[in-house]
Amino acid sequence: MPIIREYDQRMATPNRGLTPVADPGIAAKAGEGMRAVSGALTQFGNVLFDFAEQNDMTKLQVRTAQARADMLAQTQKAKETGEAADPEYVKYATDRAEEVASGLVDGMTTRRGMNAARVYGAQFSTGMQEQAIRDNAHSVGEQAKLAAIEAGNINSNTLLDHPNQFVDILEQSNNLFDSPEFAHIPANVRSELKLEAQYKYAENTVRGVIRTVSPRSAMQLLSSGAMDNYITSEKKA
């Protein structure tokens, strides 16, 4: 019978002193550590995402403000030069605004930024279109006013030599101020321009009678009441 030393016998005994036993406390701590790392990474990712969203919104606001300032400068120039009176001006300005609005999405890195850019773009495009319509109306109205003043000067000079044309010229003038060209001008301004023209025509008609007929005939015209709607009693004196 062979002699088995104590060491050999221990080695021959299954699982004796060789298989490590897991410590429940250590395993629990390891799990907690992994969860903590995962949570920290998630939180860090959220911080980065929030930063990206904030960066998109800041960039979008700056770009929109700059685009609006540029477009307003262009529309102001168009008003000053009379370009805004062109029938195609509103379409041109609207197309340009839509082009700028579509470009706001470029450079956005988050879904929120892209969605916001589309909303900002739509608002920008609509606002610029409304501005172009107002500028067009203003420019058309200004051109109509200049045309009316020029026509008024011509008509006034005509009445100095041909006072008998007063009724026809007055009718043409009233029709002009009621035409679509003057629809863009506020009603009170239109009314004031019309009254000024009427007074000017009536006054020059009287002067024309003095010049081409006689002062006596001019006094008879004023006394007849035919000019009462156009010349006040103070002016008659």
Side-chain angles (χ1 to χ4, degrees), residues 85 111 116 161 173:
R111 183 180 299 276
D161 295 325
S173 175

Side-chain angles (χ1 to χ4, degrees), residues 16-235:
R16 183 174 180 181
L18 296 179
T19 304
V21 178
D23 188 333
I26 294 177
K29 290 180 180 180
E32 291 176 1
M34 290 300 295
R35 284 192 295 272
V37 170
S38 177
L41 290 174
T42 300
Q43 185 176 8
F44 180 68
N46 290 337
V47 169
L48 289 179
F49 185 73
D50 290 343
F51 177 79
E53 284 191 338
Q54 186 60 44
N55 186 53
D56 271 1
M57 295 305 297
T58 301
K59 185 191 305 182
L60 178 60
Q61 291 168 0
V62 171
R63 291 173 62 183
T64 303
Q66 184 60 54
R68 182 176 289 108
D70 291 344
M71 282 290 293
L72 288 177
Q74 293 175 21
T75 58
Q76 180 62 31
K77 183 178 180 181
K79 272 201 311 184
E80 294 172 353
T81 60
E83 179 187 349
D86 190 299
E88 296 296 318
Y89 174 73
V90 173
K91 182 180 184 304
Y92 163 78
T94 301
D95 290 346
R96 175 58 182 154
E98 290 177 351
E99 180 182 350
V100 172
S102 64
L104 293 176
V105 180
D106 297 340
M108 296 295 104
T109 60
T110 64
R111 183 180 299 276
R112 180 188 175 194
M114 293 178 184
N115 290 337
R118 294 186 182 95
V119 174
Y120 275 47
Q123 294 173 345
F124 172 82
S125 180
T126 300
M128 290 299 100
Q129 182 184 46
E130 293 173 351
Q131 182 66 45
I133 292 172
R134 288 193 296 269
D135 292 344
N136 175 256
H138 173 82
S139 295
V140 169
E142 287 299 309
Q143 287 193 354
K145 285 167 63 176
L146 291 175
I149 292 173
E150 183 178 356
N153 292 334
I154 294 173
N155 290 334
S156 294
N157 291 332
T158 298
L159 289 170
L160 289 174
D161 295 325
H162 306 281
N164 60 323
Q165 294 186 19
F166 171 71
V167 174
D168 291 337
I169 288 178
L170 183 63
E171 183 179 0
Q172 291 174 10
S173 175
N174 290 338
N175 290 337
L176 175 64
F177 286 112
D178 293 332
S179 67
E181 293 178 338
F182 280 79
H184 304 295
I185 299 177
N188 61 321
V189 176
R190 231 173 26 245
S191 177
E192 184 178 344
L193 290 171
K194 184 186 291 188
L195 290 175
E196 288 178 0
Q198 291 174 355
Y199 164 72
K200 192 172 184 178
Y201 294 157
E203 185 179 46
N204 275 21
T205 295
V206 174
R207 289 177 178 174
V209 172
I210 295 173
R211 180 177 177 178
T212 61
V213 185
S214 68
R216 182 181 179 82
S217 295
M219 288 299 298
Q220 290 175 345
L221 176 62
L222 289 173
S223 300
S224 70
M227 295 295 178
D228 286 355
N229 290 333
Y230 315 111
I231 302 179
T232 61
S233 57
E234 291 82 1
K235 295 292 184 180

